[in-house]
Amino acid sequence: QAQLVESGGGSVQAGGSLRLSCVASGLTFSLYNMAWFRQAPGREREFVAVISWIDGIDYVDYVLGRFTISRDDAKNSVFLQMNGLKPEDTAVYYCAADLSSQRSWEVGDYDYWGQGTQVTVSS
């Protein structure tokens, strides 16, 4: 049974940084596109970034230049470095895995999800 476990969330002031980590088990990690999504209270889960197992990275426009997604296949891990955090970045952040050759921004395309980690940014 595949499992994704996130860590690294917390509370920071605006302008601060956090580094989220997600460790996968029970799947062939190197064959999966890995993504980060987030969900704020009262809002739908939304795409943040994806890194392909082949090549290519996508970011939603409002995190460009602030967030960086990376992966370490040897450690079955994906990361999200978040700099210049804003109060509107406050949400639960989820990592997700998609067994596909194409990068997707859609929640429904992902096969496995973590339990989420809370990020709170105060002004």
Side-chain angles (χ1 to χ4, degrees):
Q1 179 72 14
Q3 186 175 18
L4 305 178
V5 180
E6 302 100 333
S7 61
S11 297
V12 296
Q13 291 189 328
S17 298
L18 285 172
R19 179 177 170 85
L20 305 184
S21 300
C22 172
V23 179
S25 60
L27 53 80
T28 306
F29 182 81
S30 60
L31 296 182
Y32 280 77
N33 295 335
M34 298 300 298
W36 289 95
F37 288 77
R38 69 187 186 186
Q39 188 166 18
R43 301 188 64 174
E44 294 186 351
R45 194 168 298 189
E46 62 182 16
F47 170 82
V48 175
V50 60
I51 183 166
S52 170
W53 67 276
I54 302 174
D55 59 13
I57 292 174
D58 292 334
Y59 297 98
V60 69
D61 56 359
Y62 43 81
V63 306
L64 275 172
R66 300 190 298 125
F67 291 11
T68 302
I69 190 171
S70 62
R71 64 189 294 161
D72 184 342
D73 288 356
K75 296 182 179 180
N76 285 3
S77 296
V78 61
F79 309 97
L80 187 68
Q81 177 67 45
M82 305 187 295
N83 299 327
L85 283 161
K86 304 175 181 180
E88 51 265 43
D89 294 319
T90 295
V92 177
Y93 283 71
Y94 298 89
C95 74
D98 174 27
L99 185 63
S100 173
S101 60
Q102 296 184 332
R103 301 187 301 278
S104 172
W105 293 30
E106 301 298 325
V107 170
D109 287 340
Y110 284 79
D111 304 300
Y112 302 107
W113 292 85
Q115 82 290 348
T117 186
Q118 177 71 47
V119 171
T120 303
V121 185
S122 59
S123 57

